[in-house]
Amino acid sequence: MEMNEVLIVGMMLSFLVLLFSGFPIAWVLGGVGVIFGAIGYYSDFYMETMTGLDFMTLGLSVNRIYKIMDNWILVALPMFIFMGNMLDKSGAAEKLMQSFQELFGRVRGGLAITVILIGVILAASTGIIGASVVLLAVMSLPAMLKQGYDKKVAVGVIASSGTLGILIPPSIMLVIMADQLALSVGDLFMGAVFPGLILGALYVIYIVGFGVLKPKAMPLAEELKPVTLDLWIQVLKAVLPTLMMIVAVLGSIFTGIATPTEASAVGAASAMLLAWYNGKFSIRVVKECLHNTFNVSGYIFAIFIGATVFALVLRELGGDEFIESFLVSLPFGPYGIILFVLAIIFLLG
C-alpha cells in the first residue's frame, strides 16, 4: 500500500475507534483530521513520500470553515431549533396528550397510539429529536407505566416516535444534508414528508396488531370516558393551533412564498404566538429558549468545523477515489453495494 492509502485506512479506523469510545464527535473529527494532516505533511518532509498534504491544506480548511459561517441556508438551523424549544415550553404537547389520550382510550394500545401521533406532530413542529424524545418521555412514560404497559413497549414507542423528527420536515438533518450536498432544502422537505407519515402510520398499525396479539402488554385504562362531540371539539382546539403553525412553515416553503431560511423565521414567530395563546409566554421562557438554542447550535457548528477538517484531509489524500475503488471492487453487484453501504451507515448510526 502507498502512504496515502495507509493514512486513509488509518484515518477511518481511528475515527471508528474514537467514535465508539464515546468521545465528543466534533473533537474526534477535527482531531483525527489535524493529526493525520500533520503525519502526512511530516512524512512528505522527512520520508519523501507524496501525500500532497502541505500548508495549503490548512489554508483551504480555514476558507471552508469561513464559508460555513457565511452560509445563508444554515441560518435556518438556529431558527428551527428556537421554534422547537419554544414549542416545548408552550404547553401545546400537554394539551395534545390529554385530548388524544381521552379520544383513543377505548382502543387497545390507545396510549401508545397517542404517543405516536404526538411524535408525528412534534416532528413536523420541531425537527429536534432530543426535544421530542425528552418531551414524550416526561409526559407519557409515567402514564404508560401507571396503566400497566410493558416497559419495553413503552420505551420503544417513545424512542421510535421521537426519532421521526429526523425525517419529517422541518428536519434539521435535512437542512444540513441540503447544504452539504448542494441540494434544494424545499425539494428534500417535499421528498421526506410522505415517507415520514408512512413510517408513523406503520407504527400505529404495528401497535394495533401488537395489542391484539399481546393484550396484557398494553392494558386499557380503568376509567374510560365516552367519546362525545365535546371531546372532538377539545381535540380540535388542541390540534388546530399546532397544525396552523406547521402549515405556515411548510406551506410557505412548498408554495414558493418563502425560502426555508425565511420560513424558519415564520416558524419561530409562530411558536412564540402559540406559547402566548397557551398563556406560557414570558421573558424568562424566551431567555431559556435562546440559551438552549445557542447551546445546541454551538454543538452543531462544532461538528461542522470538525467534519470540514476531516473531509478536507481525507479528500487531499485521495480518500474519495480510494473508497470508490473499494466499493466498485466488491463482488456484490449494484444492489449488493447499496446494501453494504446501508449496513455501514447503520453501524455508524
Side-chain angles (χ1 to χ4, degrees):
M1 294 178 68
E2 296 182 0
M3 187 62 181
N4 289 55
E5 296 175 343
V6 172
L7 291 178
I8 291 168
V9 174
M11 281 189 74
M12 299 302 295
L13 291 177
S14 300
F15 170 69
L16 288 173
V17 170
L18 291 172
L19 188 66
F20 284 114
S21 71
F23 205 72
I25 190 170
W27 307 129
V28 169
L29 287 166
V32 170
V34 169
I35 290 171
F36 278 86
I39 292 172
Y41 172 75
Y42 283 108
S43 69
D44 285 356
F45 191 78
Y46 290 108
M47 300 171 60
E48 298 183 355
T49 55
M50 299 291 290
T51 63
L53 294 175
D54 52 23
F55 284 112
M56 288 297 294
T57 303
L58 179 62
L60 284 172
S61 59
V62 172
N63 289 335
R64 292 195 179 193
I65 291 170
Y66 176 80
K67 286 182 180 179
I68 289 173
M69 299 306 170
D70 193 42
N71 193 326
W72 179 250
I73 294 175
L74 295 181
V75 175
L77 285 179
M79 288 290 190
F80 280 135
I81 294 169
F82 177 83
M83 183 180 79
N85 286 320
M86 184 58 71
L87 186 78
D88 184 12
K89 303 289 185 181
S90 69
E94 286 85 350
K95 287 187 175 182
L96 288 170
M97 184 74 189
Q98 182 180 358
S99 57
F100 279 168
Q101 187 174 351
E102 292 178 1
L103 181 62
F104 295 105
R106 292 180 174 275
V107 180
R108 181 74 62 179
L111 189 51
I113 294 173
T114 297
V115 173
I116 294 169
L117 294 178
I118 294 176
V120 171
I121 294 173
L122 289 178
S125 310
T126 66
I128 309 172
I129 294 176
S132 298
V133 172
V134 170
L135 192 59
L136 288 172
V138 170
M139 288 192 309
S140 61
L141 188 58
M144 294 171 86
L145 295 179
K146 183 179 179 181
Q147 195 167 312
Y149 271 60
D150 181 78
K151 289 182 180 180
K152 293 180 180 178
V153 173
V155 175
V157 167
I158 293 169
S160 55
S161 303
T163 52
L164 289 171
I166 202 170
L167 182 58
I168 298 177
S171 165
I172 291 174
M173 186 273 292
L174 292 177
V175 176
I176 295 172
M177 282 186 66
D179 172 67
Q180 296 297 303
L181 301 175
L183 298 172
S184 167
V185 178
D187 288 348
L188 283 182
F189 278 7
M190 285 190 283
V193 168
F194 289 107
L197 294 177
I198 290 171
L199 189 59
L202 290 173
Y203 287 168
V204 173
I205 293 171
Y206 176 83
I207 287 298
V208 172
F210 194 85
V212 173
L213 295 174
K214 293 187 177 181
K216 292 183 178 179
M218 294 184 290
L220 294 170
E222 294 180 359
E223 298 180 3
L224 296 175
K225 295 184 179 180
V227 178
T228 61
L229 180 61
D230 290 337
L231 178 58
W232 280 104
I233 294 173
Q234 180 183 337
V235 172
L236 286 175
K237 284 182 178 179
V239 172
L240 279 178
T242 308
L243 286 182
M244 289 173 65
M245 184 184 73
I246 295 169
V247 170
V249 175
L250 297 182
S252 60
I253 296 174
F254 295 162
T255 57
I257 297 174
T259 66
T261 303
E262 294 163 345
S264 66
V266 173
S270 301
M272 287 192 288
L273 287 174
L274 187 59
W276 172 79
Y277 173 77
N278 290 328
K280 301 286 187 176
F281 187 81
S282 66
I283 299 298
R284 181 183 62 81
V285 169
V286 173
K287 285 183 177 179
E288 289 180 4
C289 291
L290 287 173
H291 181 269
N292 292 335
T293 300
F294 293 149
N295 200 18
V296 176
S297 299
Y299 292 148
I300 291 174
F301 279 92
I303 293 174
F304 266 134
I305 293 171
T308 297
V309 175
F310 183 90
L312 181 61
V313 172
L314 189 66
R315 188 163 293 168
E316 290 287 302
L317 290 169
D320 292 356
E321 294 81 5
F322 179 82
I323 294 171
E324 182 182 353
S325 62
F326 170 73
L327 291 175
V328 172
S329 65
L330 293 174
F332 300 146
Y335 292 107
I337 291 174
I338 291 173
L339 291 174
F340 179 80
V341 171
L342 290 176
I344 295 296
I345 293 172
F346 179 79
L347 288 174
L348 291 175

